[in-house]
């Protein structure tokens, strides 16, 4: 079988003869006399596309034969027109060569080799030996884009076994008896790889590192190449323009504007917390003034209050002795429930009470002896709280 993708990686359409068709389950595995469909390898995804307008679902290589998987049958010995999904192929070539360029840059600058790679559908990564700082990552990205600008030719070699042992490859050779294909990018990088790559670095247009982080003692670098990097750059430009328009500022002033908003939000948060504490004290005093200070069961249904606020109110009240709080926050269809009791109340368990009466509201939840929380039907919440209220009053 002739592998056209190694002869011309830019070939988008070709004619071929159907040699064999195997039906496996409900799919047809087609062998051609020649193919430009790359079966995947070196971390790169396989090609997809069409054979005589029939969708190619998958392409794989087994026992040195490349199979094209279709969901429709096709005649053996027929001549077929094959079309590559070029957007997918080009993206795969961009990410793969981008990985080689980045890996070569880290190795050339810092003698830091690549441990592993991942070429994903959205984000690709290289894991570089050692823990690199931001300065080094930025330096490698700058060199990578300088390599693109120089339009360096990408050479593809298939040396014999004696020749390959004399080539100073960046990584160890794969363990195989087959011919080993070598990709060479000028004097930047030379490495064994079975993938399909652009003919020159200018094809990549741009490499953008989007994130880096420590990973098992090494540095994982996320990156975008080619059209992915261009689209990402254009999208971020739009986001920055929107931010500037919102802040009525230029790009240089935008960061200060965001910092000012953050500082203002922190001031508001602190003021809100202060007012909330004052309101809590006011509500606590109001409950205590209107009740029996020796023993008290407080039942209240709130609206428009947060669960966090009402939970704080219940907890603060039950910090005192001999107080039980039966609180609910009523919404349109559901109600949030907070039941709390002072620690000195020994004969009432709030978690057990919730579970015992939960059928009234089709409730879900539970809790401990002193605190129970849950949710139930809003139209039954008053009946639910009344039943618990009656039980508590008769027990205390």
């Amino acid at each position: 079988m002739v592998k056209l993708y190694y002869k011309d990686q830019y070939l988008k359409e070709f004619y071929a003869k159907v040699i064999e068709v195997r039906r496996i389950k409900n799919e047809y595995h087609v062998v051609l006399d020649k193919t430009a469909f790359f079966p995947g390898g070196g971390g790169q995804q396989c090609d997809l596309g069409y054979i005589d307008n029939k969708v190619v679902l998958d392409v794989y290589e087994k026992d040195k034969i490349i199979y094209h998987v279709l969901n429709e049958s096709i005649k053996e010995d027929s001549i077929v027109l094959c079309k590559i999904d070029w957007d997918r192929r080009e993206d795969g070539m961009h990410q793969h060569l981008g990985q080689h360029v980045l890996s070569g840059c880290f190795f050339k600058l810092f003698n830091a080799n690549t441990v592993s790679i991942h070429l994903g559908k959205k984000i690709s990564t290289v894991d570089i030996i050692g823990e690199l700082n931001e300065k080094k990552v930025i330096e490698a990205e700058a060199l990578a884009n300088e390599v693109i600008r120089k339009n360096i030719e990408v050479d593809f070699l298939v040396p014999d076994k004696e020749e390959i042992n004399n080539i100073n490859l960046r990584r160890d050779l794969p363990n195989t008896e087959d011919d080993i294909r070598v990709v060479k990018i000028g004097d930047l990088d030379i490495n064994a790889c079975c993938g399909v790559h652009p003919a020159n670095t200018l094809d990549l247009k741009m490499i953008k590192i989007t994130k880096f982080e420590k990973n098992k003692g090494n540095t994982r670098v996320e990156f975008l190449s080619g059209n992915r990097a261009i689209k990402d750059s254009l999208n971020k430009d739009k986001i920055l323009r929107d931010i500037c328009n919102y802040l009525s500022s230029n790009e240089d002033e935008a960061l200060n504007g965001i910092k000012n908003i953050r500082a203002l939000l922190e001031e508001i948060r602190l003021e809100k917390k202060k007012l909330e504490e004052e309101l809590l004290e006011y509500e606590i005093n109001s409950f205590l003034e209107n009740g029996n200070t020796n023993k008290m069961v407080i039942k209240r249904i709130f609206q428009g209050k947060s669960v966090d606020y009402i939970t704080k109110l219940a907890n603060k009240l039950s910090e005192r002795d001999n107080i039980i709080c039966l609180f609910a926050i009523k919404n349109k269809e559901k109600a949030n429930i907070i039941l709390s009791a002072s620690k000195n109340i020994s004969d009432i368990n709030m978690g057990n009470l919730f579970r015992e009466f939960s059928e009234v509201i089709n409730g879900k939840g539970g809790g401990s002896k002193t605190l129970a929380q849950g949710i139930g039907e809003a139209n039954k919440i008053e009946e639910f709280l009344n039943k618990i209220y009656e039980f508590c009053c008769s027990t205390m």
Side-chain angles (χ1 to χ4, degrees):
M1 175 181 286
V2 180
K3 297 179 177 180
L4 297 174
Y5 48 83
Y6 282 154
K7 294 180 177 293
D8 180 3
Q9 66 269 52
Y10 295 101
L11 186 64
K12 301 179 181 68
E13 295 186 10
F14 63 98
Y15 285 95
K17 183 178 181 180
V18 178
I19 302 299
E20 182 184 0
V21 179
R22 294 184 181 182
R23 182 171 181 174
I24 301 175
K25 294 183 179 179
N26 293 322
E27 295 176 335
Y28 300 87
H29 296 237
V30 178
V31 180
L32 306 174
D33 66 334
K34 56 182 174 292
T35 186
F37 284 94
F38 177 58
Q44 189 172 337
Q45 62 189 355
C46 73
D47 285 331
L48 299 178
Y50 300 90
I51 296 178
D52 265 4
N53 292 320
K54 295 174 175 62
V55 177
V56 177
L57 304 173
D58 190 19
V59 180
Y60 66 94
E61 186 170 7
K62 184 178 180 181
D63 298 328
K64 299 184 180 181
I65 298 174
I66 296 174
Y67 295 90
H68 310 74
V69 182
L70 310 178
N71 59 6
E72 300 178 63
S73 184
I74 199 166
K75 289 184 180 180
E76 289 187 359
D77 295 326
S78 62
I79 303 299
V80 291
L81 174 61
C82 306
K83 297 180 181 180
I84 303 293
D85 179 344
W86 182 247
D87 287 343
R88 178 183 171 93
R89 159 69 77 78
E90 185 180 45
D91 179 68
M93 293 200 303
H94 284 166
Q95 307 321 307
H96 207 159
L97 185 61
Q99 175 267 310
H100 280 284
V101 170
L102 262 185
S103 293
C105 290
F106 279 111
F107 189 72
K108 183 171 185 175
L109 290 170
F110 314 115
N111 198 33
N113 215 333
T114 297
V115 181
S116 62
I117 70 166
H118 172 70
L119 305 179
K121 291 182 179 180
K122 293 184 178 180
I123 290 288
S124 299
T125 64
V126 288
D127 284 14
I128 306 298
I129 292 175
E131 295 184 359
L132 304 174
N133 58 30
E134 183 177 16
K135 181 181 177 183
K136 288 183 176 181
V137 171
I138 290 173
E139 191 176 345
E141 182 185 61
L143 178 58
N145 284 287
E146 179 63 17
V147 168
I148 291 173
R149 188 183 71 83
K150 287 181 177 179
N151 193 20
I152 298 171
E153 185 176 351
V154 180
D155 295 315
F156 308 100
L157 315 171
V158 186
D160 59 34
K161 290 185 179 179
E162 183 177 344
E163 289 173 327
I164 201 166
N165 288 325
N166 294 322
I167 297 175
N168 187 24
L169 299 178
R170 177 169 50 80
R171 299 184 69 188
D172 294 337
L173 288 170
N175 184 19
T176 178
E177 295 298 320
D178 296 335
D179 290 337
I180 295 174
R181 196 162 180 266
V182 172
V183 177
K184 183 176 182 295
I185 308 169
D187 61 358
L188 174 73
D189 191 48
I190 183 166
N191 197 45
C193 184
C194 64
V196 183
H197 307 80
N200 54 70
T201 59
L202 192 61
D203 247 10
L204 291 179
K205 305 178 182 73
M206 176 193 292
I207 290 176
K208 183 61 187 171
I209 291 175
T210 57
K211 180 183 176 182
F212 69 95
E213 61 187 359
K214 296 177 183 177
N215 182 57
K216 299 179 181 178
N218 299 313
T219 303
R220 174 161 293 173
V221 178
E222 292 186 1
F223 71 94
L224 303 170
S225 295
N227 293 331
R228 286 192 198 182
I230 299 295
K231 288 177 182 177
D232 180 73
S233 179
L234 292 173
N235 183 55
K236 286 176 179 173
D237 281 348
K238 181 183 182 304
I239 292 170
L240 182 55
R241 284 196 304 273
D242 290 344
I243 290 171
C244 291
N245 289 336
Y246 182 78
L247 296 173
S248 299
S249 67
N250 59 40
E251 292 181 8
D252 295 329
E253 296 169 344
L255 182 58
N256 284 334
I258 292 170
K259 287 179 178 179
N260 290 337
I261 290 174
R262 184 172 181 176
L264 180 60
L265 285 173
E266 180 61 17
E267 287 180 19
I268 293 170
R269 187 188 69 81
L270 292 173
E271 182 64 21
K272 177 178 176 291
K273 184 179 179 181
K274 180 183 174 183
L275 292 173
E276 187 179 84
E277 292 294 330
E278 291 177 359
L279 182 58
L280 278 171
E281 288 302 317
Y282 172 81
E283 295 209 64
I284 289 167
N285 291 332
S286 177
F287 282 126
L288 296 177
E289 286 172 3
N290 296 325
N292 181 346
T293 56
N294 292 324
K295 292 184 178 180
M296 188 184 304
V297 181
I298 306 170
K299 177 173 69 74
R300 178 68 64 86
I301 297 175
F302 299 89
Q303 288 187 328
K305 297 284 188 180
S306 72
V307 173
D308 183 59
Y309 177 81
I310 299 304
T311 302
K312 284 181 182 178
L313 177 60
N315 286 337
K316 281 187 171 291
L317 280 164
S318 55
E319 283 175 359
R320 294 165 169 79
D321 288 342
N322 301 317
I323 293 181
I324 290 177
C325 296
L326 310 178
F327 291 162
I329 307 161
K330 192 174 181 180
N331 301 306
K332 287 184 179 179
E333 296 181 357
K334 297 291 183 180
N336 294 93
I337 300 135
I338 300 102
L339 311 177
S340 71
S342 302
K343 289 181 180 179
N344 74 312
I345 299 175
S346 59
D347 48 356
I348 296 178
N349 185 303
M350 306 315 290
N352 289 344
L353 281 178
F354 184 91
R355 286 186 285 272
E356 183 178 346
F357 294 104
S358 62
E359 289 184 2
V360 175
I361 52 169
N362 292 319
K364 293 182 180 179
S368 64
K369 182 178 181 299
T370 56
L371 179 65
Q373 290 181 283
I375 193 166
E377 294 178 3
N379 61 347
K380 298 287 185 71
I381 191 62
E382 192 156 354
E383 180 184 350
F384 170 77
L385 292 183
N386 284 339
K387 286 182 178 294
I388 297 177
Y389 179 82
E390 290 171 5
F391 175 86
C392 292
C393 289
S394 64
T395 304
M396 287 183 70

